[in-house]
Amino acid sequence: MPRDSESLTGWLATKWLIAAVALAELGLLASFDVRLGIAAGALFGGVAIVWLYLALRYGSLSGARSARRAMVESAEAHARNRRSADEKTRLGAQQRPDAAERP
């Protein structure tokens, strides 16, 4: 069954962890060589702008429901229905009268 990505990472989303590592790397490069830090900052900035554009246009920031979220909710609904049906069949099997006792 598909799992929701938010439940896998806990309180820290993976994209923020990657962004923090990128900023730490940028700081290390800038402290080593200013020109190299500027180049890395421009590269990270370009990637961030492309990511933001895609997120606003097609992704989670656009307000549209993602296909993954729909699949997770569908799988959870199917699991709830199966549990409900299983409980009903167990209760029904316990409450049915014996066929020999029918009038």
Side-chain angles (χ1 to χ4, degrees):
M1 183 164 89
R3 296 190 141 246
D4 198 6
S5 62
E6 288 86 23
S7 65
L8 295 176
T9 57
W11 62 273
L12 182 64
T14 307
K15 64 182 172 188
W16 298 119
L17 181 62
I18 292 171
V21 170
L23 287 175
E25 183 66 25
L26 177 62
L28 287 172
L29 284 173
S31 68
F32 177 70
D33 184 15
V34 176
R35 289 180 296 169
L36 192 57
I38 291 171
L43 179 67
F44 289 150
V47 169
I49 288 172
V50 169
W51 174 83
L52 186 61
Y53 171 74
L54 292 174
L56 287 172
R57 179 81 169 113
Y58 303 108
S60 60
L61 298 178
S62 67
R65 196 169 144 202
S66 70
R68 187 176 189 338
R69 170 70 70 180
M71 187 186 313
V72 168
E73 289 174 359
S74 174
E76 288 172 351
H78 285 285
R80 279 193 306 272
N81 287 342
R82 285 187 198 114
R83 281 192 299 271
S84 174
D86 190 36
E87 289 173 5
K88 286 179 182 178
T89 57
R90 270 194 248 138
L91 290 175
Q94 293 172 356
Q95 295 176 354
R96 286 188 188 148
D98 189 14
E101 295 179 4
R102 289 189 181 169

